[in-house]
Amino acid sequence: MAVPAALQWMNGERGVLVLYIARILYAAPISLLAESIALGILSLFALSLEISADHDHDHDPFSRFFKTRPGVSSGILLGAVTLPGLMLSRLIQMLRGLSLNEVGVADLENLQLQYWATFASCFSVLVCFDVILQRQDNGVPSVDSCSNWNKKFSLSCIALCAGICCIAFSAKYQFGWQMVFMLLWVVFHGLVASKLIQRILRTFPACVSIGEALLVTSGLVIYFGDMLQNTVAKIFGYWASLGYLPVQYVVKRSEISTIIQGMTVGLLLFPLFLKLIFQISGHFKFVDISRERANHEMKKSFIFYASLAFLLIVAIPLWMQFVQDFHMHPLFWVLDFVFSEPLKTLSLCTYWIALIYASVTRFYDISKNSKTERILLRKYYHLMAVVIFVPALILQPEFLDLAFGAALAVFLILEIIRVWRIWPLGQLVHQFMNAFTDHRDSEILVISHFSLLLGCALPIWLSSGFNDRPLAPFAGILSLGIGDTMASMVGHKYGVLRWSKTGKKTIEGTAAGITSVLVACSVLLPLLATTGYIFSQHWFSLLVAVTTSGLLEAYTAQLDNAFIPLVFYSLLCL
């Protein structure tokens, strides 16, 4: 496919992503040249695959292997560049911190390793999908020049990326066992990601697009890899102190991040162990008699709640105490942390509970008895996120980190209960969740509440270390709570000019979203200055970040709650 032929396939979403990537590459210093070139090649490879996958709207080339969410494009480019772009933005930010002596060399090198692991995860998945597309082409009797060009281009991208990765690691670690070990660690992430995404797409058919699955897959692989790195660091801590292990394995982490990581990974793995326990105990057998069915459900629920209690009270805290010196049970550490400033934390908890209870009961009644569109009701929750999270982020950021982790744990537990229909809450949770679902949710998996929570939480968690951009932690709250909400409301009520003939997004809504975020930033920056934040956000950079994320919300058909906060955060970090 020649370059002019590729340009004719440049739609609005791809154009915005080109702007996103160009902005990051423009800000990258020469010391990150290898990472920048790798991101550029990854972007071109993903663009080529997306064009090949989406060129025939009536035929899905991946349908023989798995079912994706109907009615949307593949989203390969967006899914492939979001996390690597974010990691490169963080590297640029960390270099500024290193120049100010506020970041250690170990932190920077650890983040560089995570960047390459993220890159390998995304790139390996792209290679996997490229193989699938090549198989489709091989089944066609006449292979045209376009297909031959795609094969040559794919092989060139693979060779270039492998070469750049080897050159970057050889320059950093010289030629030795450390270089080999690091390359194997990066390749390991790629292999796991290529297997995991296929498992996700087959386990949850028609629930996500390829781009959404790619974002989830790369995120999970990096998060699990970081947990494994934490564990290895503790096991081989003595070796690292003697210089036998690389410096990347001895990075200090906070107690709150360890608690959140342990709870999240433990609950994500819990269904696998639970399924094994149910299979061993024989509780997957169909029971026809009603009394035996009731006994079966009660036994199943007992096993579930007992296993969950063991996981939360014993198994996960054991790992936390192993990798972090808590000097007490982690649950007691959490209570001690909460009651260290009881007036602030308990007042904030009371405020949250009252606000959540009032909003949930009110909007639940409206959703059951009103003709108001479901999408507008959901945007009210986006607006509630601003009221709930902004005061805590300004006054109690560490407590908000912990609260986000607790909320995510509750959501995971409730979703497991809903999917497995665990007595007595399973059916009740399922009915309640159905009142707030939309076309992106399914009977198998309800993801909207997860995407909203993580969209607000991830920028805050990512900013827990060095952060010289005061608006970066607010990326999710601003883009979802204000920008997305105002765009939907104004577009629904006043929108006339549409961005495309087939889409629902309007120019009026997008303009309202961008303007509202800029106004919110102009109010928030002076407020943050009064609490001790140093103003270091350039208005031109802010304008580019707000406009790019606003345009992406207008053009993309992917799960915007997941992608837009990460894109906005990446641009705010520059």
Side-chain angles (χ1 to χ4, degrees), residues 38-82:
L39 178 60
I41 297 174
L42 177 73
S43 305
L44 292 174
F45 190 23
L47 178 60
S48 173
L49 282 178
E50 181 173 290
I51 292 172
S52 300
D54 294 343
H55 77 280
D56 188 355
H57 298 288
D58 299 324
H59 172 66
D60 181 7
F62 304 109
S63 58
R64 287 176 50 194
F65 301 90
F66 30 72
K67 285 185 65 177
T68 57
R69 184 157 64 89
V72 298
S73 61
S74 63
I76 293 175
L77 178 61
L78 180 59
V81 303
T82 299

Side-chain angles (χ1 to χ4, degrees), residues 370-512:
S370 173
K371 295 183 179 180
T372 305
E373 288 196 24
R374 187 73 58 88
I375 185 66
L376 293 181
L377 288 175
R378 291 159 57 83
K379 297 308 175 184
Y380 286 124
Y381 279 102
H382 287 210
L383 198 59
M384 291 300 300
V386 180
V387 182
I388 292 173
F389 300 138
V390 167
L393 184 53
I394 296 176
L395 301 175
Q396 288 282 306
E398 288 188 346
F399 181 64
L400 182 60
D401 285 350
L402 190 62
F404 271 131
L408 179 59
V410 171
F411 280 5
L412 286 171
I413 292 171
L414 290 178
E415 185 64 11
I416 295 171
I417 291 173
R418 186 195 70 84
V419 170
W420 290 69
R421 296 293 196 274
I422 302 297
W423 182 87
L425 298 176
Q427 189 60 30
L428 294 175
V429 173
H430 179 70
Q431 293 174 353
F432 180 80
M433 291 295 185
N434 276 344
F436 304 102
T437 56
D438 65 4
H439 64 281
R440 293 171 294 191
D441 295 309
S442 66
E443 288 289 325
I444 302 175
L445 199 62
V446 179
I447 59 177
S448 299
H449 54 297
F450 283 106
S451 62
L452 177 59
L453 177 70
L454 289 174
C456 294
L458 284 175
I460 297 173
W461 287 341
L462 291 168
S463 303
S464 58
F466 171 75
N467 177 44
D468 60 344
R469 297 291 186 259
L471 290 177
F474 295 86
I477 300 172
L478 289 171
S479 59
L480 298 181
I482 295 178
D484 190 29
T485 302
M486 292 302 296
S488 295
M489 290 183 172
V490 173
H492 181 268
K493 191 169 184 179
Y494 303 106
V496 176
L497 304 173
R498 301 191 181 277
W499 285 105
S500 65
K501 295 180 180 179
T502 57
K504 296 182 179 180
K505 305 294 180 66
T506 64
I507 296 177
E508 294 88 349
T510 302

